[in-house]
Amino acid sequence: MTIEPHELDVRPILRGGGDPFPVIMNAVDNLVPGQALRLIASFRPVPLFSVMAGRGFSHQEEALGNGDWAVLFRPQEQVDDIRVSGGDMNLDGWPDPTRQLDLTDLDPPEPMVRVLAALEKMEVGEVLFALLAREPLFLYPELAKRGHRWAGNFDATGEIYRILIRVGKPDHHVGA
């Protein structure tokens, strides 16, 4: 059964000079599991893309004309409660981790800083395994920017987040 996306048109808020961000976050908090959000705005909401990526959503944009945009935010794929980045995610083809980090005793943002520093020293294709005290919602967009793939979930206790990160190449745009 497909769940219809929740549609939110923030153009009236914007025309009235208001800030739609709290309304958008409230809508996201009230989505049912697996449900997408279709946001309609009077501009392309670029800053929202990384915020939503951090909350586990990918996006697809559509220009509506007259400067209006519709953006469909979909929950990222989950396999057996494992959250994974987009793209080809055949985890069976990943090599064993070459580095392991236990960062469960650190407060944010130190775990993210250490993971990113460790990844910079690794070769493309190598895998890092890390244990964290919480799901790294702000790490996901940073990994995507750097071209890395990841898969993670909580352990059986629900207190330790485990993440595998495969080192990739950043996307480079021609002429950028």
Side-chain angles (χ1 to χ4, degrees), residues 22-86:
V23 175
I24 295 168
M25 291 299 103
N26 185 50
V28 171
D29 290 341
N30 289 303
L31 295 173
V32 298
Q35 187 176 27
L37 172 68
R38 185 171 189 265
L39 178 72
I40 300 172
S42 54
F43 65 94
R44 188 171 167 248
V46 174
L48 191 58
F49 298 163
S50 63
V51 172
M52 291 298 285
R55 295 190 70 163
F57 288 82
S58 62
H59 72 273
Q60 183 177 7
E61 310 162 41
E62 175 187 358
L64 299 177
N66 297 324
D68 293 344
W69 287 82
V71 182
L72 184 63
F73 292 100
R74 293 177 195 243
Q76 292 176 340
E77 181 179 356
Q78 291 190 14
V79 179
D80 297 332
D81 295 327
I82 298 174
R83 182 173 281 195
V84 297
S85 58

Side-chain angles (χ1 to χ4, degrees), residues 80-102:
D80 297 332
D81 295 327
I82 298 174
R83 182 173 281 195
V84 297
S85 58
D88 179 17
M89 290 301 298
N90 180 5
L91 299 178
D92 293 335
W94 286 23
D96 291 333
T98 54
R99 292 202 62 183
Q100 298 185 13
L101 299 172
D102 183 349

